Amino acid sequence: MNFNTSVIALIKKRQSKRAYIKKDLGKEYIEKINNVLQSYTEGPFGNKVLFSLIVKKVATEKHKVKLGTYGFISGAQYFIAGQVKNTEHANIDYGYLLETIILHLTAMGLGTCWLGGTFSRNELSGILNTDNNTIIPAITPVGYATDTASVRESIIRWGAKSDSRKDWAELFLSGSFALSLPKEEAGSYKVPLEMLRLAPSASNKQPWRIVKTPGAFHFYLKRSPGYNRIGNGVDLQMIDIGIAMSHFELTCRELELKGQWAEINPEIDSSEIYEYCISWII
């Protein structure tokens, strides 16, 4: 599915929205959203993800949908949740697909917010009728966001340092983990890397590290000490890698820069704190 506006502009515009107007989206918007969800079902690693639009006010025979967002989200009447088999790289594919969907929703003028650890997975599992080998890595509300941030939202953004990003020199490296990548050495890929730098991440940890070698950009995960996996197959920082991949690839496509994803052996001296994920081969 093509974007009807610049992805670069959407990446710069996107911001997590935690307060929503209690208003129905309407048939036309719901149809557009479902079309987007049906367009993104398989990630770069081949994992299949089934996304659903959940209407919070719809009552089931047993209970109304609550989702348990623990006060982080207010007023939202709609949520998008996906399910994927608990296999290798499932979290990366999920992050890649949902962030791409979120950028489409941004283009539609709708608000969103990544939620990884602040919702009730048990309730969603019942709604989506998942099995024991299926995970729901993250969800997002979707709807008409309020124009001004509430005091609570401002505090949350401040606590998570949502508006700050690590320096270029810390995230992007040349040939090894010891040398920073000069911006001029990035060449035409400077903009895709900058759009990657703006990607959202769990607790704004920004765990991605990109090492450039001749003919490739290698994506690594640098885990944050003390920042544990949720469990049951959900790995928030691997989701972050998928989000970063989405920003990078979509920007490359917009700028008509060549490249494709591949798993290779970069032969870069590493340590236990860096986990190789995938490479963008030029």
Side-chain angles (χ1 to χ4, degrees):
M1 174 178 271
N2 295 325
F3 284 85
N4 57 14
T5 188
S6 166
V7 170
I8 294 171
L10 293 173
I11 289 172
K12 293 178 178 179
K13 178 182 179 181
R14 187 219 62 83
Q15 190 179 60
S16 297
K17 298 294 185 180
R18 297 174 177 84
Y20 294 82
I21 300 169
K22 292 183 178 180
K23 178 181 177 182
D24 289 344
L25 285 173
K27 183 178 179 180
E28 183 178 353
Y29 260 127
I30 290 175
E31 183 176 343
K32 287 182 179 179
I33 292 170
N34 283 323
N35 285 337
V36 172
L37 300 186
Q38 292 165 15
S39 297
Y40 295 98
T41 58
E42 183 175 339
F45 287 100
N47 289 290
K48 303 289 179 61
V49 183
L50 176 61
F51 289 102
S52 301
L53 179 64
I54 297 170
V55 185
K56 189 175 179 182
K57 69 178 182 180
V58 173
T60 65
E61 293 181 359
K62 296 181 179 180
H63 63 282
K64 285 192 174 182
V65 177
K66 296 180 181 178
L67 298 184
T69 55
Y70 309 114
F72 281 84
I73 302 297
S74 63
Q77 303 300 301
Y78 301 85
F79 287 81
I80 291 171
Q83 52 183 303
V84 61
K85 293 297 182 183
N86 185 12
T87 58
E88 187 177 16
H89 305 311
N91 287 279
I92 294 180
D93 278 347
Y94 192 96
Y96 171 94
L97 291 169
L98 185 52
E99 180 64 8
T100 305
I101 289 169
I102 282 174
L103 290 174
H104 276 286
L105 299 175
T106 303
M108 294 165 59
L110 298 173
T112 58
C113 181
W114 274 93
L115 296 176
T118 53
F119 67 93
S120 173
R121 281 185 172 79
N122 288 335
E123 184 184 9
L124 269 178
S125 294
I127 294 169
L128 299 178
N129 194 28
T130 62
D131 58 36
N132 292 332
N133 192 38
T134 299
I135 57 175
I136 305 171
I139 65 172
T140 178
V142 57
Y144 303 106
T146 58
D147 292 332
T148 55
S150 65
V151 173
R152 177 195 295 175
E153 182 171 2
S154 298
I155 291 172
I156 292 172
R157 291 190 63 83
W158 175 82
K161 299 179 180 178
S162 299
D163 297 317
S164 64
R165 292 294 185 272
K166 295 183 185 298
D167 290 339
W168 170 285
E170 183 176 351
L171 297 176
F172 308 127
L173 308 159
S174 179
S176 73
F177 294 102
L179 298 174
S180 296
L181 176 69
K183 290 187 178 182
E184 58 271 19
E185 189 179 317
S188 300
Y189 293 85
K190 175 183 173 181
V191 175
L193 289 173
E194 185 60 35
M195 293 306 102
L196 186 161
R197 196 174 74 89
L198 296 180
S201 58
S203 301
N204 201 29
K205 296 293 185 180
Q206 305 162 62
W208 41 75
R209 299 294 183 272
I210 316 302
V211 182
K212 182 183 183 300
T213 60
F217 291 90
H218 308 289
F219 282 57
Y220 285 82
L221 168 61
K222 182 181 181 183
R223 290 203 177 272
S224 304
Y227 196 81
N228 298 323
R229 299 173 176 84
I230 287 179
N232 297 323
V234 176
D235 188 335
L236 296 182
Q237 296 205 303
M238 280 298 183
I239 295 173
D240 293 341
I241 293 294
I243 296 172
M245 288 169 60
S246 171
H247 279 212
F248 185 83
E249 179 182 348
L250 290 173
T251 306
C252 285
R253 301 300 184 211
E254 178 168 311
L255 298 177
E256 298 183 347
L257 298 175
K258 64 180 181 179
Q260 61 184 358
W261 298 114
E263 287 184 272
I264 65 172
N265 180 4
E267 298 182 350
I268 296 172
D269 289 337
S270 185
S271 67
E272 293 181 357
I273 63 173
Y274 296 102
E275 298 178 36
Y276 172 72
C277 299
I278 199 169
S279 299
W280 180 262
I281 307 300
I282 300 172

